[in-house]
Amino acid sequence: MNDHTDPEHTDPTEVRLTAELAALADAPAPAARMDTAWALRAGRSRLRRRRLGVLGAAAAVALGATLLSATLPGGHPGQVAAAPAASPTAAPSALPPLGPDTGRSPLPTGASFGWLPEGFNEAAYNLGFSGQPDASQVKVFGPQQTGPNALASNRQLIFLTLFAPGEVPTVGTTPTGQQLYRVDAAPVNGRPAYWVGTGPDNPAGPGNDRTLRWQTADGRWAQLHGSYMSDADDVLNKLHRVAEGVKVAPQAVPLPFRIHDVPAGFTPSGASFYYGPEASVGYPWSASVNYNSGGDQIAVSVQPDVTPVTGWWDSPLQAGATQQQQPTCVVASGLKLCATSFQGEAPFASVGGFAGWLGHFTSLGTDPAAWTTEVLG
């Protein structure tokens, strides 16, 4: 059994990162709603790294085998050429380009990475998580953690968050009560910046992570959070350079499907995209979209119809979870589309159940050049 099966509450390092992820602005996250795509990735990541989660680990594991989801953001017709689709075993060489945000995408993003350190070549895009439907975050996966206490299962991570217009992030304390401090940092592109540290002159955050905040050209604040990055990796300079390359502009993730004629009373509640086998748990890419109707939520995931590679996500615990949540799936144009819900299929009988829901999705195939940001019909 790998390290992700260890008791989560025994590792204080995991508590500090959970606090950072659950509280984008140094405040406890609101009560979690069911967000299938976020539960899958966040839950699996928490299991692997023994992190306490916003959603219970058991619930996340139950979703493990049912939503292997999201998309390799490819090109958009008339836009920059997309990276070619990877085979299940291929390692991506660079993050694929984003497309224009025309208001018809379930996965817009206001900020994206430019320069990244070598080896940071897998990504996760999330909109709507931790009970916050408008919360948006991009995460990139880097090389294996280094140092004397490094674990083979831990990859270096950088999280990018853009705060809302007029929102000024606070420092204060972590959800566990640890005092934090604003520590001066060199300006980012000539604008104010600071580290969120554990002491007045210590830029290191809880668990020795690093958090850099800076004011962008349009006045909004942005934040980078580096995890599993050590001083030996020159983390301060790397994060500062990453910040200088961040692009703040309306963009969206191209997806390999269109959605049409959604039943009345259903509203989008979140979407995700994952690029690379580590990010998308064995697939070259995967994507998902969630819809809410009252207290019920249905999730549709999309991935290439291929056999995933094996890795840390395969375990007896997750294998047992496959019996708890069985999705309904169809294959179209080389893509596997699956629908599922924590509430089961019964609440959706009046709109055709899971199979009926999948009928509202049109597959655009496996060629990223055919994918689009004009998803919502």
Side-chain angles (χ1 to χ4, degrees), residues 15 35 55 69 73-74 160 195-196 225 270 278 286 308 315 328 337 372:
V15 178
D35 183 332
L55 297 178
S69 55
L160 170 61
W195 302 98
V196 179
H225 181 95
E278 174 80 5
S286 59
S315 71
T328 294
L337 297 87
T372 184

Side-chain angles (χ1 to χ4, degrees), residues 263 266 298 300 328 339-340 344-360:
F266 285 85
I298 192 168
V300 175
T328 294
T340 192
E345 191 170 5
F348 310 99
S350 63
V351 292
F354 292 161
W357 257 93
L358 294 176
H360 298 286

Side-chain angles (χ1 to χ4, degrees), residues 151-228:
L151 297 175
S153 59
N154 290 342
R155 300 250 329 249
Q156 298 177 41
L157 302 170
I158 300 177
F159 300 80
L160 170 61
T161 303
L162 181 66
F163 292 90
E167 182 181 3
V168 179
T170 59
V171 177
T173 62
T174 69
T176 57
Q178 183 176 7
Q179 181 66 49
L180 297 175
Y181 298 85
R182 177 171 175 154
V183 181
D184 288 342
V188 173
N189 295 324
R191 289 178 285 273
Y194 65 91
W195 302 98
V196 179
T198 53
D201 300 310
N202 180 15
N208 211 36
D209 281 4
R210 302 295 195 277
T211 298
L212 175 64
R213 291 176 179 165
W214 73 100
Q215 197 165 25
T216 66
D218 69 0
R220 284 183 290 180
W221 285 87
Q223 173 178 292
L224 288 178
H225 181 95
S227 182
Y228 296 124

Side-chain angles (χ1 to χ4, degrees), residues 3-9 18 32 36 38-65 312 315 317-322 324-325 342:
D3 71 286
H4 60 267
T5 60
D6 293 345
E8 295 184 8
H9 66 278
T18 297
T36 319
W38 174 253
L40 170 61
R41 266 76 195 185
R44 282 178 163 175
S45 179
R46 285 190 295 269
L47 282 173
R48 174 181 142 202
R49 299 179 177 91
R50 301 168 308 191
R51 290 181 178 146
L52 300 176
V54 177
L55 297 178
V61 173
L63 285 168
W312 58 263
S315 71
L317 179 61
Q318 294 195 28
T322 63
Q324 300 181 37
Q325 293 285 333
F342 267 137

Side-chain angles (χ1 to χ4, degrees), residues 124-151:
Y125 298 80
N126 288 285
L127 177 66
F129 59 92
S130 298
Q132 304 174 78
D134 297 323
S136 177
Q137 191 176 72
V138 184
K139 174 174 63 175
V140 287
F141 296 73
Q144 181 181 327
Q145 180 189 22
T146 61
N149 298 317
L151 297 175

Side-chain angles (χ1 to χ4, degrees), residues 102-106 257-263 266 268 291 360-362 372-377:
T102 63
R104 295 176 59 188
S105 169
F257 54 83
R258 288 192 173 95
I259 306 173
H260 54 86
D261 303 321
V262 173
F266 285 85
Y291 276 83
H360 298 286
F361 284 69
T362 298
T372 184
T373 60
E374 299 275 339
V375 175
L376 304 176

Side-chain angles (χ1 to χ4, degrees), residues 21-124:
L21 299 183
L24 296 180
D26 299 312
R33 300 180 307 170
M34 178 271 191
D35 183 332
T36 319
W38 174 253
L40 170 61
R41 266 76 195 185
R44 282 178 163 175
S45 179
R46 285 190 295 269
L47 282 173
R48 174 181 142 202
R49 299 179 177 91
R50 301 168 308 191
R51 290 181 178 146
L52 300 176
V54 177
L55 297 178
V61 173
L63 285 168
T66 68
L67 292 180
L68 299 172
S69 55
T71 60
L72 177 153
H76 181 71
Q79 303 300 316
V80 179
S87 71
T89 57
S93 59
L95 300 187
L98 300 177
D101 179 16
T102 63
R104 295 176 59 188
S105 169
L107 192 49
T109 179
S112 59
F113 287 103
W115 181 87
L116 284 168
E118 182 179 358
F120 282 82
N121 51 19
E122 299 192 32

